[in-house]
Amino acid sequence: MVTNDDGIHSYGLQALAKSLSSVGTVVVVAPDRERSAVGHSLTLHAPLRADEITSGRFAVSGTPTDCVHLGVYGLLPKKPDLVVSGINKGANLGDDLTYSGTVAAAMEATLMGVPAFAVSLDSVSFTLDDFLAGAEIAADIARLIRANGLPINTFLNVNIPAGIPKGVQLTRQGKRRYSSKVEKKQDPRGRDYYWIGGGELNFHDVAGTDFHAILNQSVSITPLHLDLTNYRSFDSLSLWDFDSVC
Ligand code: MN
């Protein structure tokens, strides 16, 4: 099953569905419009429509997470062997992962016990050819997952660099360098408005991170899990006087 957050008409999704058809039977369940940066949101207070545009291609009036939910529990005749989310128009790196609808779709599949990976492309032009090249890499990764299986509760966040990759690196999540940039402007009626995310996208360039791999023209594969517990903090937090709370 293929989904994304850029919407069913995006080049990235088309290229991905095409390349994965050499690996297995592909069903597309994707948002009917762009839903980038919706994170892991689920539609609970509105009806969802799934319009089968052509055979095996569903346009859903919801988020990427809705699509995975609906695909697995409602639209597909059986549980999919793999959910692939992407190819996103733009990399999904470091601290930005929690905003990403692309990554959240893979997360949702993992919660349902379905192997999954998210795939994003760093490019300048984002032409169909760029995505087709990236989609071949995604198909190879799908084959590797079929051959090896994923570790339990683990999904992959794959980022593909612009141009021809030099290789593949297993990476960890990098750290965002925040520029605290919020654009403040005035609308034609003289009222202030704000625009988030206008600043330059920047990360700390540290070896071993997803950002470093992409910067050095390698495909980055970060294994992720959903346990956000910070185990390393237990030692220091256990010294707090919790008896003073209750
Ligand atoms: Mn997107």
Side-chain angles (χ1 to χ4, degrees):
M1 182 179 133
V2 170
T3 191
N4 74 346
D5 77 356
D6 295 335
I8 196 154
H9 301 296
S10 77
Y11 280 164
L13 182 91
Q14 287 171 38
L16 185 62
K18 187 165 181 268
S19 70
L20 287 173
S21 65
S22 69
V23 185
T25 306
V26 173
V27 176
V28 172
V29 183
D32 60 3
R33 72 201 85 153
E34 171 150 7
R35 296 289 192 146
S36 291
V38 297
H40 198 186
S41 66
L42 193 62
T43 303
L44 295 178
H45 304 288
L48 289 169
R49 311 279 180 197
D51 192 11
E52 191 166 13
I53 301 171
T54 54
S55 179
R57 267 180 80 230
F58 297 88
V60 175
S61 63
T63 66
T65 297
D66 292 332
C67 290
V68 173
H69 221 81
L70 224 61
V72 173
Y73 290 145
L75 300 172
L76 273 68
K78 68 177 189 74
K79 231 180 183 187
D81 299 312
L82 178 69
V83 168
V84 188
S85 179
I87 299 172
N88 189 61
K89 188 177 176 180
N92 272 308
L93 302 168
D95 296 318
D96 287 352
L97 296 196
T98 54
Y99 303 120
S100 169
T102 309
V103 174
M107 214 181 259
E108 186 68 7
T110 309
L111 286 173
M112 295 171 147
V114 179
F117 69 95
V119 55
S120 306
L121 179 73
D122 188 29
S123 170
V124 182
S125 49
F126 294 107
T127 63
L128 181 57
D129 282 344
D130 289 345
F131 283 113
L132 286 169
E136 291 309 316
I137 292 169
D140 286 340
I141 290 166
R143 287 186 192 94
L144 284 175
I145 290 173
R146 184 170 60 188
N148 300 292
L150 281 168
I152 193 157
N153 296 329
T154 303
F155 63 103
L156 305 179
N157 182 38
V158 179
N159 281 280
I160 298 170
I164 297 160
K166 285 182 187 159
V168 176
Q169 278 181 36
L170 274 180
T171 57
R172 64 176 192 274
Q173 246 182 290
K175 281 229 81 65
R176 184 87 125 97
R177 197 197 298 270
Y178 278 92
S179 55
S180 66
K181 183 117 177 183
V182 173
E183 295 276 349
K184 182 184 177 185
K185 295 203 168 161
Q186 271 195 347
D187 71 19
R189 296 199 170 90
R191 204 173 152 208
D192 291 340
Y193 71 87
Y194 301 87
W195 206 290
I196 290 170
E200 179 99 352
L201 196 68
N202 220 336
F203 292 86
H204 295 280
D205 183 15
V206 179
T209 63
D210 48 8
F211 175 71
H212 186 80
I214 288 297
L215 198 67
N216 290 282
Q217 198 75 28
S218 290
V219 174
S220 164
I221 300 184
T222 311
L224 298 174
H225 62 172
L226 291 157
D227 181 355
L228 298 177
T229 312
N230 184 354
Y231 292 95
R232 282 176 296 187
S233 72
F234 272 68
D235 283 348
S236 65
L237 286 173
S238 62
L239 300 175
W240 289 20
D241 178 20
F242 288 113
D243 287 342
S244 67
V245 177
C246 62

